Amino acid sequence: MDSVQALERPSVGTREMANALRVLAMDAVEQARSGHPGMPMGMADVATVLFTKFLRFDPTDPAWPDRDRFVLSAGHGSMLLYGLLHLTGYPGLGIEELKRFRQLGSITAGHPEYGHTPGVETTTGPLGQGIATAVGMALAERMLNARFGDGLVDHRTFVIAGDGCLQEGISHEAIDLAGHLCLDRLVVLWDDNRISIDGATSLSTSMDQQARFQAAGWHTETVDGHDGCAVEAAIARALAAGKPTLIACRTVIGFGAPNKQGSESTHGAPLGAAEIAAAREALGWTAPPFEIPADIATAWRAAGRRGAAERARWAERLEASPEAPRFRQALSGELPLEVFAALREHKRTLSAKAPSLASRKASELALEAINGATDLTVGGSADLTHSNLTITKGLETVQAGRFGGRYIRYGIREHGMAAAMNGIALHGGLVPYGGTFLVFADYARGAIRLSALMGVRVVYVLTHDSIGLGEDGPTHQPIEHLAMLRATPNLNVFRPADAVETAECWEIALRSRATPSVLCLSRQNLPTLRTRDSEENVCGRGAYVLREAAGERDVTLLATGSEVELAVKAADLLAADGVEAAVVSMPCWELFERLPAEERRAVLGTAPRVAVEAAARLGWDRWIGEGGAFVGMEGFGASAPAPALYQHFGITPEAVAQAARSVMRRTS
């Protein structure tokens, strides 16, 4: 299936077809009065060769599982992608949508958005994210190929990346991992135009990019990006290289605009009416804006039909394959019921035995139940496997040439790991989770944000979640990170208080098909607080009354994670003084916010409130109200054993009880 069906040559040549992309880009940017015409005009020849002679796709079935993936990492050049999708016949991408480029309600947004536009494989725009996400796609393809064979899984991942993508630090993490795993079905077409927003790239870099990629184990090529035959030959060599490939396509930014090409002035602004007129003349293009001559349009439509026969043959192979049911199950994204039954039994056992466990250990036990019930989950860690506790029995390591394993050694590449997990999730067929310390969510932030923006099921296992990690000190103790993550739309942030809550949070994360999840887990042991078995997944409410007051509430204590235990002890101290305190565990604010207002009020009550969390206060005033109190961190941590740190920073049952007495006095 490595053979490539060549396009029957139409009456027009590659350059004329590429010019259609150029004029659509400059016309759409001009009409929108914003955008980036330079990259689409410069890479039009390369993209035309790729889409007409190599890329396997079928616009009538944009989700065909064995299609090649195309990622426009340089997402600012989105009109190149929209032009390709329009010309090849993707549904909904009529000329009117190109005329509405960058306008409210259009599907031609300023940067490509996954789930918003047919044919867009991933959201791009933050430079470097596309190439790193593509690594995950290429890895998922090899892992599924190891399970289902060439007959069902045999495709490639192509990327168009710019100078900015290769300068961003995430690119190094991505190319290092791809080279190490020898992802030979990954091809990066680098728009080597040597121009950035500020001017020539020589202002800020002297990097020999080909030497860098070669050092990471890649095959490299250099071509004139405006010579279609040279580009075709280079891509053909890449397909046979046996390594991931970088093709440096030497191009002229804004190619065809006679007075501005080669200049940063074409990068991120309309060319202007006079320059567009001059470009039309230089390109020999006489058609008015947004009109494509019939012969060129016919040639592009033929390119769009090229993959239909291969897709039909693949569908026949799928129907005839004994693996078809398992393959369809994997691609459906639905986890088998056995997973949730195993978690339910696991939770029952925890309630009965009431172990004292770090929630990272509780997560490992939950994963043993999950991974034992399905092979769709694939784990990993950023070189912290035995701290994050993300590997379970029977998970073999994924290696170059041996992709049958389920555990990925991402190395010390938090950002690259997160982006690769996005790619795995977007590819389909696998459910990725990966671990690092919560404090290093900073390093992965860009990709975590895109997980949420795209709505993909990625589970981030972030351990060592507070000053409770102890002696490693303030560089490793997360303070502001919970607030940062909670501020991110469409991201469920879980901080479970015990092993039972941890199992419930894992269940919610796996059921959340359109929302990524963060599990914030402790290093230190936590007692089991939920010793009464419940059929309901109580954490699904986001917050609940763990311990109600014996009579009318005098105060309500709110807490998450390891501090719920402190709140319970504080309630005991208050009870000894005749103060009725309720304890509310709040493992997931996002889920709690979705409850009807009356249900939230029933949990929070009307009594004064005190919150305790070994992190920053930001966000807590939403729950404690103007007269409430907060017991937590006011600055960074310190290096010492965890118990000493809790005492030093005043995060103790006594401090919580004292805060409760204070708010009661203020509101009495």
Side-chain angles (χ1 to χ4, degrees):
M1 255 99 38
D2 283 341
S3 61
V4 176
Q5 285 186 296
L7 172 69
E8 292 183 8
R9 292 193 177 276
S11 58
V12 295
T14 300
R15 176 54 59 83
E16 289 81 5
M17 295 176 73
N19 285 344
L21 294 170
R22 292 187 171 98
V23 296
L24 285 174
M26 63 186 187
D27 287 344
V29 171
E30 186 70 18
Q31 178 145 314
R33 298 182 182 177
S34 75
H36 301 75
M39 192 282 277
M41 296 176 74
M43 283 296 281
D45 296 305
V46 174
T48 299
V49 171
L50 177 64
F51 269 70
T52 61
K53 298 181 180 180
F54 294 98
L55 195 74
R56 292 196 325 172
F57 66 102
D58 183 358
T60 68
D61 187 3
W64 169 29
D66 205 33
R67 70 192 180 280
D68 287 343
R69 271 56 170 181
F70 172 69
V71 173
L72 185 68
S73 188
H76 55 274
S78 57
M79 265 311 302
L80 176 64
L81 179 53
Y82 299 146
L84 289 162
L85 298 176
H86 165 71
L87 291 169
T88 55
Y90 274 79
L93 267 295
I95 198 66
E96 291 304 315
E97 282 301 317
L98 271 62
K99 290 180 180 179
R100 298 202 306 138
F101 177 54
R102 285 181 162 235
Q103 304 309 301
L104 184 65
S106 77
I107 62 171
T108 49
H111 292 83
E113 296 180 22
Y114 170 75
H116 189 65
T117 310
V120 172
E121 301 283 4
T122 181
T123 298
T124 56
L127 295 178
Q129 289 291 334
I131 187 173
T133 303
V135 170
M137 293 177 177
L139 177 55
E141 189 275 341
R142 286 292 83 193
M143 293 176 71
L144 289 171
N145 173 270
R147 298 182 182 200
F148 298 107
D150 291 347
L152 298 183
V153 183
D154 187 19
H155 53 267
R156 298 180 183 276
T157 303
F158 293 91
V159 181
I160 284 182
D163 291 298
C165 293
L166 302 193
Q167 287 186 41
E168 287 286 358
I170 190 174
S171 74
H172 190 78
E173 297 182 23
I175 68 171
D176 190 4
L177 181 61
H180 173 71
L181 292 174
C182 198
L183 298 178
D184 61 339
R185 290 173 168 262
L186 175 63
V187 178
V188 174
L189 301 156
W190 169 31
D191 180 19
D192 182 16
N193 61 36
R194 303 180 191 179
I195 293 292
S196 63
I197 292 176
D198 281 359
T201 55
S202 59
L203 291 170
S204 59
T205 181
S206 302
M207 177 67 69
D208 183 338
Q209 292 290 358
Q210 288 178 299
R212 181 167 76 111
F213 277 75
Q214 289 166 6
W218 289 53
H219 171 72
T220 63
E221 297 270 348
T222 303
V223 296
D224 178 347
H226 302 298
D227 182 339
C229 292
V231 172
E232 181 178 356
I235 295 176
R237 288 191 294 272
L239 303 190
K243 298 179 177 181
T245 296
L246 171 75
I247 302 176
C249 304
R250 188 71 179 95
T251 62
V252 177
I253 191 171
F255 183 89
N259 303 303
K260 292 188 175 182
Q261 66 180 15
S263 165
E264 65 271 16
S265 64
T266 69
H267 170 81
L271 297 179
E275 186 68 8
I276 288 176
R280 276 181 150 76
E281 182 176 355
L283 296 171
W285 191 272
T286 58
F290 298 106
E291 289 188 19
I292 306 298
D295 57 344
I296 296 177
T298 298
W300 271 113
R301 282 296 188 268
R305 292 192 297 272
R306 185 171 53 91
E310 177 56 35
R311 182 186 61 80
R313 287 191 291 271
W314 176 87
E316 291 174 359
R317 291 195 300 274
L318 177 62
E319 289 298 323
S321 173
E323 292 282 8
R326 192 165 73 100
F327 182 81
R328 289 193 177 101
Q329 169 70 30
L331 268 293
S332 75
E334 290 287 345
L335 288 169
L337 295 177
E338 289 81 358
V339 171
F340 305 109
L343 279 173
R344 178 71 193 87
E345 182 59 33
H346 172 60
K347 191 173 78 163
R348 184 178 293 113
T349 300
L350 291 171
S351 294
K353 294 186 176 180
S356 179
L357 298 170
S359 53
R360 61 171 177 159
K361 181 64 178 179
S363 171
E364 179 188 41
L365 295 179
L367 278 170
E368 287 180 359
I370 294 163
N371 291 338
T374 182
D375 64 355
L376 297 181
T377 47
V378 293
S381 172
D383 197 54
L384 289 167
T385 292
H386 300 295
S387 291
N388 302 146
L389 303 181
T390 42
I391 197 168
T392 60
K393 183 178 179 180
L395 263 60
E396 295 183 6
T397 296
V398 173
Q399 301 178 55
R402 295 172 57 189
F403 293 99
R406 292 172 56 194
Y407 196 79
I408 303 163
R409 307 285 180 167
Y410 288 105
I412 308 164
R413 307 181 183 100
E414 292 87 359
H415 204 177
M417 174 183 73
M421 289 197 295
N422 283 341
I424 292 170
L426 289 165
H427 181 279
L430 301 167
V431 179
Y433 68 87
T436 186
F437 290 172
L438 176 56
V439 75
F440 299 136
D442 284 341
Y443 285 172
R445 165 67 180 159
I448 293 174
R449 184 175 188 271
L450 285 185
S451 301
L453 180 59
M454 293 188 288
V456 292
R457 179 174 50 188
V458 174
V459 183
Y460 295 94
V461 182
L462 304 184
T463 68
H464 296 62
D465 69 345
S466 71
I467 60 170
L469 71 86
E471 292 85 347
D472 278 344
T475 60
H476 283 55
Q477 292 165 2
I479 302 299
E480 71 278 22
H481 300 75
L482 285 168
M484 175 268 289
L485 292 165
R486 287 168 176 159
T488 306
N490 193 42
L491 180 67
N492 285 339
V493 182
F494 298 96
R495 191 163 184 251
D498 66 3
V500 175
E501 282 197 359
T502 303
E504 290 188 341
C505 293
W506 261 110
E507 179 185 353
I508 298 165
L510 294 178
R511 289 189 185 276
S512 301
R513 296 279 301 277
T515 304
S517 299
V518 173
L519 299 177
C520 303
L521 306 171
S522 74
R523 177 179 184 265
Q524 71 272 34
N525 285 350
L526 308 176
T528 297
L529 301 172
R530 293 258 305 277
T531 55
R532 180 176 296 177
D533 184 42
S534 170
E535 289 289 333
E536 180 189 0
N537 186 322
V538 183
C539 287
R541 304 179 200 168
Y544 64 95
V545 179
L546 174 69
R547 173 171 148 176
E548 187 55 275
E552 184 177 350
R553 292 188 197 179
D554 295 317
V555 68
T556 300
L557 309 180
L558 312 177
T560 74
S562 48
E563 285 70 66
V564 176
E565 175 191 5
L566 302 185
V568 171
K569 291 179 178 178
D572 290 336
L573 293 175
L574 291 167
D577 290 341
V579 176
E580 294 292 347
V583 177
V584 172
S585 178
M586 302 187 71
C588 184
W589 292 10
E590 295 76 25
L591 294 179
F592 188 57
E593 286 174 340
R594 295 174 203 164
L595 288 183
E598 61 272 17
E599 292 187 32
R600 293 199 304 271
R601 284 194 292 268
V603 171
L604 296 173
T606 57
R609 301 169 199 157
V610 176
V612 53
E613 187 173 67
R617 177 172 182 151
L618 186 65
W620 272 107
D621 290 282
R622 163 78 169 83
W623 307 118
I624 61 178
E626 187 173 346
F630 176 74
V631 177
M633 297 297 292
E634 297 179 355
F636 293 111
S639 177
L645 290 172
Y646 274 87
Q647 287 289 334
H648 175 74
F649 289 108
I651 306 174
T652 64
E654 293 76 13
V656 175
Q658 182 56 44
R661 296 184 187 99
S662 296
V663 297
M664 289 168 58
R665 284 195 296 270
R666 289 202 303 268
T667 57
S668 61

